[in-house]
Amino acid sequence: MEGQQEQLTSRIASIFHDASNEDIEKASAEEEVCSVCLDGFDRQDVESDNSNGSIVKKTRCGHLFHVNCLCEVVKRARLAGASKCPMCREPLDENGQLILLSEEYLISDDREHIDNQEYNYEEEEYDRWLDELHDEYNDMMEQQRHQDEDDEELARQEYEDAMEQQRLHDEDDEELARQEYEDAMELARQEYEDAMEQQRLQDEDDEELARQ
């Protein structure tokens, strides 16, 4: 059974296109996460050493999922061909490949190789499970949005504080420079007056000497 499950996972994975470097970079830049496991995407996820190809797959509707998460979504549907994207509810099947997969592996709850309550939900239950996934995803993204806003506000405040400190520092520097300039001018004035006083005394002495 385990080997058959691995084969099934491999077949499901092979149906979906690998995410490209550009897809991963865009998702990473926008802080997107897989709506099934709520983990993010990384460029190294594009490369994989397993037979399922990239760790990240892209659905026909353009959403990204980790390969095992996407397989989980397909397996939980009563019929693989009825599986839907957790993000937009678009059918995941492309060119009837999942329908053929259902027939090949007999994915239904009355088949002994997947006789497990965890899989093969009825449609209403399956949609409810997808809704729960999407709600958890939205909650996480909302928390991330608030966190980003808090981080942005903190960065703005730190910037303003730094600019205010710089302004005060510049004012202190200007005040110090002004004071040094005034001190220098006062010293020059004093030296000039002393020199003039000495010259006046010298002139008086010369006049007195000449008179005598």
Side-chain angles (χ1 to χ4, degrees):
M1 176 177 175
E2 183 175 350
Q4 199 166 17
Q5 287 285 357
E6 290 177 354
Q7 282 187 339
L8 177 59
T9 297
S10 180
R11 283 298 308 279
I12 293 174
S14 69
I15 290 174
F16 297 98
H17 299 292
D18 291 345
S20 66
N21 278 313
E22 290 75 14
D23 294 329
I24 297 296
E25 289 175 356
K26 181 180 178 182
S28 179
E30 296 177 357
E31 298 182 337
E32 284 288 338
V33 299
C34 173
S35 66
V36 178
C37 67
L38 302 182
D39 284 338
F41 305 108
D42 192 272
R43 284 192 62 181
Q44 65 183 9
D45 292 339
V46 175
E47 300 177 0
S48 173
D49 58 1
N50 61 51
S51 59
N52 296 335
S54 170
I55 295 175
V56 179
K57 298 293 182 178
K58 185 175 183 178
T59 63
R60 61 197 297 264
C61 49
H63 295 114
L64 305 186
F65 299 93
H66 295 108
V67 61
N68 289 334
C69 297
L70 196 55
C71 290
E72 187 78 3
V73 172
V74 173
K75 289 179 183 179
R76 282 182 185 262
R78 178 173 176 78
L79 295 174
S83 55
K84 304 173 185 177
C85 172
M87 291 292 290
C88 64
R89 299 298 190 278
E90 283 292 314
L92 290 175
D93 200 5
E94 186 172 359
N95 302 323
Q97 295 183 71
L98 288 177
I99 294 177
L100 294 176
L101 189 68
S102 294
E103 296 175 354
E104 181 178 347
Y105 283 89
L106 305 176
I107 305 178
S108 64
D109 58 354
D110 60 347
R111 307 301 178 179
E112 62 179 4
H113 74 281
I114 306 184
D115 185 14
N116 189 323
Q117 294 180 358
E118 184 178 359
Y119 295 126
N120 308 116
Y121 289 169
E122 297 293 341
E123 183 174 1
E124 182 178 346
E125 188 177 10
Y126 182 66
D127 286 341
R128 186 165 57 250
W129 177 70
L130 293 178
D131 287 339
E132 290 173 357
L133 288 180
H134 199 251
D135 288 344
E136 290 177 1
Y137 169 80
N138 284 337
D139 288 343
M140 179 176 179
M141 296 305 292
E142 182 68 11
Q143 291 175 6
Q144 184 62 50
R145 185 181 67 80
H146 287 309
Q147 183 63 50
D148 290 343
E149 289 177 351
D150 290 343
D151 291 344
E152 185 176 331
E153 175 63 21
L154 178 61
R156 184 189 64 79
Q157 189 61 51
E158 289 177 345
Y159 172 77
E160 291 181 353
D161 290 344
M163 293 301 293
E164 178 65 13
Q165 290 177 3
Q166 185 62 47
R167 184 185 67 79
L168 294 175
H169 186 269
D170 291 343
E171 288 181 353
D172 290 341
D173 288 346
E174 288 177 5
E175 177 62 22
L176 179 61
R178 185 187 63 79
Q179 188 62 50
E180 290 176 346
Y181 172 78
E182 291 180 353
D183 290 345
M185 292 299 293
E186 177 63 21
L187 178 61
R189 185 187 64 78
Q190 189 63 49
E191 290 177 345
Y192 172 78
E193 291 180 353
D194 290 346
M196 293 302 292
E197 179 63 17
Q198 291 176 5
Q199 184 62 48
R200 186 184 66 78
L201 295 174
Q202 182 64 46
D203 290 344
E204 288 179 353
D205 291 343
D206 290 345
E207 286 178 6
E208 178 64 22
L209 180 62
R211 186 181 60 78
Q212 292 179 354

